[in-house]
Amino acid sequence: MKDIKVKLINNPNKIISYWKNEKFTVALIVFFGLAFNGGTVLGPIYQGKLIDSILRGDSLSTLIVLGIKFVAIIVTIQLMRYFKRLYIRRFANNTSATMRLMIYNNIMNKSIIQLEDESAGNLMTRAISDVELCVEGMRKFTTEVFDTGVLMLSYFISMLIYDVKITILASVFIPVAMLLAEKLKVIIYKYSIAFRNKSSEVADLTYGTIENAILYRVNGIEKRNRDKYNIELEDLQNKAIKAHILENSMQPIYNVIAMLGVILVIYLGGTKTIEGNWTVGIFSAYIAIFTAMAVKASKAAKLFNSVQKSQVSWKRIKTYLSEYQSKDTFANIKKEKTSLIVDSLSFTYSIGKDNIVENINFEAKEGEIIGVTGPIACGKTTLGIALLGQYPYLGSIKVDGKELKSYSEYERSQMISYLGHRPQLLSDTIYNNITLGEDLKINSVLRDICFEDDLKAMPERESTVVGNNGIRLSGGQQSRIALARTLVRKNKIIILDDPFSAVDMQTEEKIIENLRKNYKESIIILISHRLSIFNKINKVLLIKDDKSLIYGTHNELMESSTLYKSIYDLQSSGGGIDEK
Ligand SMILES: Nc1ncnc2c1ncn2[C@@H]1O[C@H](COP(=O)(O)OP(=O)(O)OP(=O)(O)O)[C@@H](O)[C@H]1O
């Protein structure tokens, strides 16, 4: 199927928009749907004419002409059916792609706070599986508008043309079957939603189990976890049975109700035929049309059910469908010297909660490395995150004289790079992990992070695939590749949170030396517990337990802060800040 284009859509949270978005395809569906379903009735009509012609003893040539017409009608109708199906499938594919794009766009535009609230990955996986169900319901609905709606209408009209009284009397049972199906959908909906929710829970549990398999094994809790998983699976099965049993067990009942009218058709139509008011061919055509209509009507429940199921999915994805926002990639960043002025900065993750860091003041200029240290949980990581400007903050963070929050998100991403605690490596090559798909030279950054010897031992060099989360690399290699990613663009401000925890002290020293030499246009914020290299950097920010600060050079802090001096001395003699 060619020329499937993913189109942006207005009002993506209204389901009708998806039909509007595919106007041309929908027009073709309507054309072929009307032609196929409207024309289908001609099949039994011509079949009846053929029977009458045989009974009348018409000549062979008349029979052949009638036979050819009959075959031509059948072939044309089937062709119409083929095109109707083709375009409905195209509508479904396009809609599915559009919905996925809108969900992707919505997630990509969520703020960092919203993304932390719900795991973006899980959310996306769940929403995508709902897209499939929802679109399947939309496809069935579109199909059934013609296969049930138009078809039944054309059957009904042709039956009325044959005989109004018989048609009205015999068709009375059909709305009863449809009404029953319609009423039961509420109950089916209830069970269906319980099944879908459980299914999501089990999916989450499955992902969690895969992710934590080794943890469970090492700690000997595999059995406990398996037992819990089994209980959840049993519950899922029960809910699946309840959701499906009612839906499927009702079908024969609808059939019987809808078909009750056939008794009347046989009696009244038969009498009419015996009396000579109908030919055998008309009688046969009428029975065929009525039976087809009754069967269609009894299957209307399927339509209601599929619409109902798709509504369940639609409700779940609806909240993730919002107007497309293209990411702006315009950056107005000063080329000249970088400066950072932090004034009375206070920050907490959730509005209304106590500040985690408070009244932070310091200044830095390009070429400087600023160390941030302090006891466990004093807020070092939090300060690093606050300096990214992704969360709301109080006070001021000025980069090159302009308030950080007044830069656009894209500009901030171009000015500041950040290395968090976890290396967050992609299951890709070393090169792609560093460049994130951009065309960048990485030789010098590999030298800066002292990775050249490591690379020599890898036959594929920078094309080495690191495995899921960098599993094929050592801890120190993982953290240095993540460090290289943070350094490679030489952003104005580089925030490194504990980058050397998996690196030996000698390598750490060499890397710091490289940073000093080769990143003279950047300001580096180096968060660390380990103070051994703090005598080689420009300034140190010590955050104390009571949230108070000391800012100065290493030598100044050694003189002015007994806390800093004692930590430094302790670590120099083999202890650490945590023991303090
Ligand atoms: N995302 C978060 N939401 C709410 N509170 C958080 C969040 N992250 C950290 N905190 C809280 O902020 C406080 C400071 O944590 P932070 O990680 O900044 O300290 P740290 O000095 O970097 O710690 P460590 O030395 O252990 O690395 C802690 O009390 C922690 O519970």
Side-chain angles (χ1 to χ4, degrees), residues 51 110 286 298 312 334 426:
I51 293 173
K110 276 188 185 301
Y286 192 94
S298 66
V312 176
K334 278 190 190 165
L426 313 170

Side-chain angles (χ1 to χ4, degrees), residues 472-488:
R472 288 188 210 142
L473 301 180
S474 76
Q477 288 172 333
Q478 288 174 21
S479 66
R480 276 177 297 149
I481 292 299
L483 175 60
R485 177 200 295 158
T486 318
L487 297 174
V488 71

Side-chain angles (χ1 to χ4, degrees), residues 116 349-350 356 374-383 391 421 497-498 527 529:
E116 273 180 358
Y349 293 94
S350 333
I356 293 174
I376 282 182
C378 67
K380 300 181 289 297
T381 292
T382 304
L383 174 61
Y391 290 87
H421 275 295
D497 191 352
D498 222 1
I527 299 165
H529 285 112

Side-chain angles (χ1 to χ4, degrees), residues 425 430 451 458 464-466 470-475 477-478 481:
L425 296 188
I430 287 180
F451 208 79
M458 300 177 183
T464 305
V465 174
V466 305
I471 192 119
R472 288 188 210 142
L473 301 180
S474 76
Q477 288 172 333
Q478 288 174 21
I481 292 299

Side-chain angles (χ1 to χ4, degrees), residues 165-182:
K165 194 179 93 188
I166 301 179
T167 304
I168 290 175
L169 284 176
S171 305
V172 157
F173 301 97
I174 288 176
V176 176
M178 292 179 81
L179 211 67
L180 184 67
E182 222 284 323

